[in-house]
Amino acid sequence: MANQKGGVGKTTTAINLCTSLAIAEKNVLLVDIDPQANATSGLGFGSNGIDHTIYDLLVSDIAIQTTIKETNLKHLKLIPSEVGLVGAEIELANSENRQYLLKNSLRKIRGTFDFVFIDCPPSLGLLTINGLVAADSVLIPIQSEFYAMEGLGKLLNTIGLVQKSYNKGLVIEGILVTMYDSRLNLSKQVYEEVKKYFGDKVYKTLIPRNVRLAESPSFGKPVALYDIHSTGAQSYMSLAEEMLKNG
């Protein structure tokens, strides 16, 4: 999950898509590499008392198995983040093969999971580069608001550079339109613009603005565990179904 623009629903999508796939009994790992640690708190983990986070994995090269935490869902696991990760880019600046740290760690457990999702920070620094190098594909959330496409060129350029230098197999998995309001012409115009630019890479599922979706992180729950009948929960279930159908 990547978009250097904040507030586009990236972490919301990471939490709730992973949850929906886990409900479908797919074994899923969510890796939180955002120093804000919103995916971590959104799955019910506090900011204190977590032993062995993604920070330890990248900086101390500990065994990845020690960082994987159980969640409230049988098929969903988490590698949590912490605010200390904000200094990791500086600490790792002179490390050899620093772009491959996450890839090398995840390689050891890839066969254990059906899906591994990486929630990248809203920036194009070393942490996001690590995510892109480790990934097979990139899911890009775009909000259906004015300036939705602003800054997207930088992300696409970064993806291109990673493809050229570190990860030739990296592809765009899909574009997800979030915060969609069917009552607004602007939302429809943005969706059409995104489809015009990205074609069949755009998911048919649209993620609406939804109160339950906005409330659920404050309770440390994915929306499906907070209110399964909400339009937010149903939309992410539809997205998971669309993703599984597309293979």
Side-chain angles (χ1 to χ4, degrees):
M1 310 281 181
N3 191 330
Q4 84 276 14
K5 192 173 181 183
V8 300
K10 180 180 55 61
T11 297
T12 298
T13 296
I15 292 170
N16 292 295
L17 177 55
C18 286
T19 296
S20 298
L21 289 165
I23 289 171
E25 298 189 348
K26 299 297 179 183
N27 290 315
V28 184
L29 174 66
L30 175 54
V31 184
D32 188 357
I33 61 167
D34 186 346
Q36 295 177 74
N38 289 333
T40 300
S41 61
L43 285 174
F45 289 83
S47 57
N48 298 316
I50 305 176
D51 62 324
H52 301 149
T53 66
I54 189 69
Y55 172 82
D56 301 299
L57 185 65
L58 295 176
V59 174
S60 304
D61 192 31
I62 62 174
I64 189 169
Q65 288 81 359
T66 65
T67 67
I68 298 174
K69 313 301 180 191
E70 302 280 341
T71 71
N72 289 328
L73 285 156
K74 177 182 177 183
H75 295 283
L76 177 59
K77 305 292 189 292
L78 170 74
I79 295 181
S81 184
E82 61 171 293
V83 69
L85 187 62
V86 74
E89 297 201 5
I90 297 170
E91 292 181 61
L92 297 171
N94 296 318
S95 298
E96 191 176 352
N97 296 322
R98 58 190 178 276
Q99 298 90 348
Y100 296 95
L101 293 171
L102 184 60
K103 180 184 178 74
N104 290 339
S105 291
L106 288 177
R107 183 184 289 138
K108 299 164 187 172
I109 50 90
R110 279 186 65 142
T112 310
F113 297 95
D114 298 310
F115 293 93
V116 176
F117 286 92
I118 304 166
D119 187 27
C120 295
S123 67
L124 295 177
L126 181 58
L127 292 171
T128 295
I129 297 296
N130 260 269
L132 294 174
V133 171
D136 298 319
S137 58
V138 192
L139 193 158
I140 306 172
I142 297 177
Q143 81 280 36
S144 57
E145 295 178 351
F146 204 59
Y147 299 130
M149 306 285 277
E150 187 182 66
L152 198 57
K154 289 181 181 177
L155 175 60
L156 296 176
N157 284 340
T158 300
I159 290 171
L161 289 170
V162 169
Q163 287 170 326
K164 185 177 179 181
S165 302
Y166 308 115
N167 186 359
K168 290 181 172 58
L170 184 66
V171 297
I172 293 175
E173 179 71 27
I175 311 296
L176 178 68
V177 176
T178 64
M179 304 177 196
Y180 186 82
D181 189 336
S182 60
R183 299 168 298 178
L184 301 179
N185 283 332
L186 177 60
S187 283
K188 295 172 184 175
Q189 289 167 5
V190 169
Y191 182 56
E192 291 305 319
E193 182 183 359
V194 172
K195 278 206 301 184
K196 186 177 177 182
Y197 191 86
F198 289 103
D200 61 5
K201 286 289 185 184
V202 182
Y203 289 106
K204 293 182 175 65
T205 303
L206 298 165
I207 306 300
R209 288 191 174 278
N210 179 247
V211 173
R212 294 303 204 195
L213 200 53
E215 287 176 346
S216 60
S218 63
F219 291 88
K221 292 181 178 181
V223 70
L225 299 186
Y226 180 60
D227 184 355
I228 188 65
H229 301 294
S230 66
T231 55
Q234 294 301 311
S235 296
Y236 277 109
M237 294 296 281
S238 296
L239 177 62
E241 188 178 340
E242 183 177 351
M243 180 173 279
L244 291 171
K245 187 179 177 181
N246 292 343

